[in-house]
Amino acid sequence: MGNIKIFGPILNGVLAFPIFLAVLSDMANAGYPTPVEADWIAHDFVFHTGEVFPSLRIHYTTVGKSSGLPVLLLHGTYGSGKNFLSATFADLLFGPGQPLDAETYFIIMPDGLGCGGSSKPSDGLRTSFPRYNYLDMVNAQHLLVTEGLGIKHLRLILGNSMGGMHTWLWGVTFPDTMDALVPQASQPTAMASRNWMLRRMQVEMVIQDPAYMGGNYTVQPPSLKLANVFFGIATSGGTLAWQAMAPTSELADKLVDARLAGAGPADANDWAYQWTSSKDYNPSAGNGLERITVPVLAINSADDERNPPESGLEAAALQRVKNARLFLIPASVDTRGHGTTGNATFWKNQLATFLLSLPTSGGLYK
Ligand SMILES: *[C@@H]1O[C@H](CO)[C@@H](O)[C@H](O)[C@H]1NC(C)=O
Ligand SMILES: *[C@@H]1O[C@H](CO)[C@@H](O)[C@H](O)[C@H]1NC(C)=O
């Protein structure tokens, strides 16, 4: 979190509060309260495989007072709750007068099961760790919220990418536990097509690498960084933005070189488990979508490589949701394909309007 403490106030300060820069420099994060991290243990957690984990650790970060209106934010694959503490997210949303003002809201950002500081294969079990899926991850989040934090009802669940898919699963699995849903960079339809094929391929590239040693590697297999960079370029960034940034092979090489020079994922088993856990995602199965009655604001980018709107899948699925609407961010050189929604500039006004349109709470959150 060191970087955030340094960059948050400076970025926001220059734009909005130049006079208070010095004063704010020791106050956390662009004028919102200092994030607090903690662990909660779920005892005898049951995976969908039937395996029982005696002590499942769920790491989480919160911003704001626990008496505030509870909001759950769900991160993307190979991320953690702290991803939201960025210049393009928290600095645009959590401050005074901003849409998720931490004076009003209690913001809860869990690390998904298998991710960040939560229990994961690299803790020691490696490939003996249960093969979790998205429903296991959502069940763990639900236990954290209800048992760990004693919250009966959430004002809002907002998630991006994998977190967007988790948001849809909350809607179909626990439809009475929130006032509203904002799934981003996701579809409420089966994991399939190129999205799954490329997930499968990048995992195959790593687990078929002799250096992976069936999961018993002592150093990370070299294929891990290569596969991760390959998938990132193929499925995020935006067609128009890549063309604008890399109009020649030399400029394209520079972008590739920069990515290859960066740090790869920390652990091959954690990484492979996370991508594989999306395989059976399908909130549209049965009458799942019909169970969602709370207002839904789905936010996708028109150039999302993993959720291409031209498939028509999302539009058709949303017809089944009682009170849903889609904000489709038009593609431009400014959008970043699947990565677009990570920058709240593109949708914070729509979120603010949506939150104002929600019926006021009955105060039954705790
Ligand atoms: C990895 O190590 C574990 C524990 O020593 C062992 O049981 C397992 O067979 C090994 N797997 C492979 C593929 O070598
Ligand atoms: C976020 O999006 C806005 C609007 O396109 C852009 O001006 C800004 O540079 C973006 N921020 C980052 C860090 O990419």
Side-chain angles (χ1 to χ4, degrees):
M1 222 178 297
N3 280 354
I4 290 136
K5 285 200 169 131
I6 295 162
F7 290 121
I10 293 170
L11 284 177
N12 212 27
V14 166
L15 295 170
F17 310 110
I19 285 168
F20 302 121
L21 193 55
V23 182
L24 279 176
S25 66
D26 201 41
M27 191 180 146
N29 308 302
Y32 59 83
T34 307
V36 178
E37 291 184 60
D39 285 332
W40 181 71
I41 304 293
H43 293 288
D44 298 325
F45 181 84
V46 185
F47 286 80
H48 74 288
T49 55
E51 288 158 286
V52 179
F53 217 69
S55 301
L56 186 83
R57 185 181 67 255
I58 313 284
H59 189 75
Y60 64 100
T61 304
T62 60
V63 171
K65 293 185 284 288
S66 63
S67 55
L69 286 173
V71 168
L72 186 67
L73 300 181
L74 303 173
H75 65 80
T77 312
Y78 218 79
S80 75
K82 287 194 290 257
N83 290 160
F84 292 112
L85 303 175
S86 70
T88 53
F89 198 95
D91 289 6
L92 302 176
L93 298 174
F94 295 178
Q98 294 177 339
L100 296 177
D101 186 341
E103 287 298 316
T104 303
Y105 294 100
F106 177 51
I107 301 159
I108 308 154
M109 299 166 281
D111 293 0
L113 194 179
C115 311
S118 295
S119 291
K120 53 188 183 292
S122 66
D123 290 346
L125 282 177
R126 298 177 166 233
T127 58
S128 303
F129 195 86
R131 303 262 158 193
Y132 62 86
N133 66 6
Y134 277 10
L135 275 174
D136 293 326
M137 299 177 86
V138 165
N139 281 332
Q141 292 157 2
H142 184 252
L143 286 171
L144 168 70
V145 167
T146 54
E147 292 184 17
L149 298 170
I151 292 168
K152 291 192 176 64
H153 197 84
L154 293 157
R155 179 63 170 161
L156 172 74
I157 302 177
L158 179 152
N160 188 38
S161 190
M162 173 178 77
M165 293 190 262
H166 288 172
T167 301
W168 280 116
L169 286 178
W170 267 84
V172 302
T173 313
F174 307 108
D176 302 323
T177 59
M178 77 294 286
D179 286 341
L181 297 166
V182 178
Q184 303 182 326
S186 58
Q187 296 178 160
T189 58
M191 177 56 63
S193 189
R194 188 203 290 130
N195 193 2
W196 174 250
M197 288 190 268
L198 287 179
R199 285 166 193 252
R200 163 89 192 276
M201 277 304 300
Q202 63 166 345
V203 171
E204 290 287 346
M205 286 180 207
V206 171
I207 66 179
Q208 291 194 30
D209 181 346
Y212 177 70
M213 295 169 67
N216 286 342
Y217 49 84
T218 49
V219 293
Q220 296 302 320
S223 54
L224 177 58
K225 188 198 276 186
L226 294 174
N228 192 60
V229 168
F230 187 95
F231 183 81
I233 294 171
T235 70
S236 189
T239 303
L240 299 175
W242 280 140
Q243 181 60 37
M245 285 187 273
T248 65
S249 62
E250 287 78 13
L251 287 168
D253 269 340
K254 283 209 168 80
L255 294 177
V256 171
D257 291 342
R259 291 206 176 197
L260 292 178
D267 185 75
N269 285 325
D270 291 347
W271 178 89
Y273 265 69
Q274 286 191 37
W275 289 108
T276 306
S277 68
S278 63
K279 180 179 165 66
D280 62 358
Y281 166 77
N282 186 11
S284 71
N287 66 347
L289 294 177
E290 285 76 10
R291 278 200 291 273
I292 303 177
T293 57
V294 297
V296 178
L297 173 64
I299 303 178
N300 277 9
S301 188
D303 55 352
D304 187 329
E305 301 87 345
R306 300 184 202 174
N307 305 289
E310 60 268 32
S311 75
L313 289 175
E314 168 137 69
L318 290 184
Q319 300 277 318
R320 294 172 49 196
V321 183
K322 189 174 176 210
N323 196 356
R325 121 185 142 71
L326 172 65
F327 173 50
L328 191 64
I329 302 163
S332 74
V333 291
D334 294 327
T335 56
R336 296 289 179 269
H338 185 69
T340 303
T341 45
N343 182 345
T345 310
F346 290 104
W347 47 262
K348 65 185 166 74
N349 293 341
Q350 283 73 16
L351 176 67
T353 306
F354 177 68
L355 290 172
L356 286 172
S357 77
L358 297 176
T360 43
S361 68
L364 298 169
Y365 294 100
K366 282 243 167 188

